[in-house]
Amino acid sequence: MSEHLNRLMCSCGHDGVLLVRTSGGDDAPNSPRTEGHLMTTPTPAPPHLEIQITGIRKHVAECVTEIGGTECGARSCAWDTPMQTNGWMREHAAKTGHRQFEKHTEEPVSVFSRPVGERGE
């Protein structure tokens, strides 16, 4: 996922901001970008897309220690706090001798469209 975002930032980003057009007028397809490239015609999208968090953020750890050219791949349960994830990594390291891990957070969200002019303020 992060590799995909990195490619998007390289091709469509500028100064840490990903430039995305969600709708546009007649001049949108040929508007020059600040980098000097022309924008392609965007795929039609709803005018306002909202993202709503629909659950509790979970913390997960994964062992990425390489063993014989492949990663271990052991993954912890999903917990509400990072402290439980840290405990799992310590336990896995003590049992296996593995030392390389990645920590992730997972947050359930929903994307929905809101009619033009309607605001949730």
Side-chain angles (χ1 to χ4, degrees), residues 23-47:
S23 64
D26 295 332
D27 63 333
N30 297 320
S31 298
R33 294 177 24 202
T34 55
E35 297 90 270
H37 302 285
L38 295 177
M39 293 188 71
T40 58
T41 303
T43 304

Side-chain angles (χ1 to χ4, degrees), residues 58-63 75-95 98-105:
K58 300 290 186 179
H59 300 267
V60 179
E62 184 175 356
C63 180
R75 188 174 165 101
S76 73
C77 295
W79 286 295
D80 294 343
T81 68
M83 293 185 324
Q84 293 164 310
T85 308
N86 293 344
W88 179 87
M89 289 187 296
R90 285 188 196 100
E91 184 178 325
H92 184 73
K95 286 181 182 177
H98 298 173
R99 299 288 185 251
Q100 300 295 314
F101 296 88
E102 288 183 355
K103 291 171 72 173
H104 305 275
T105 56

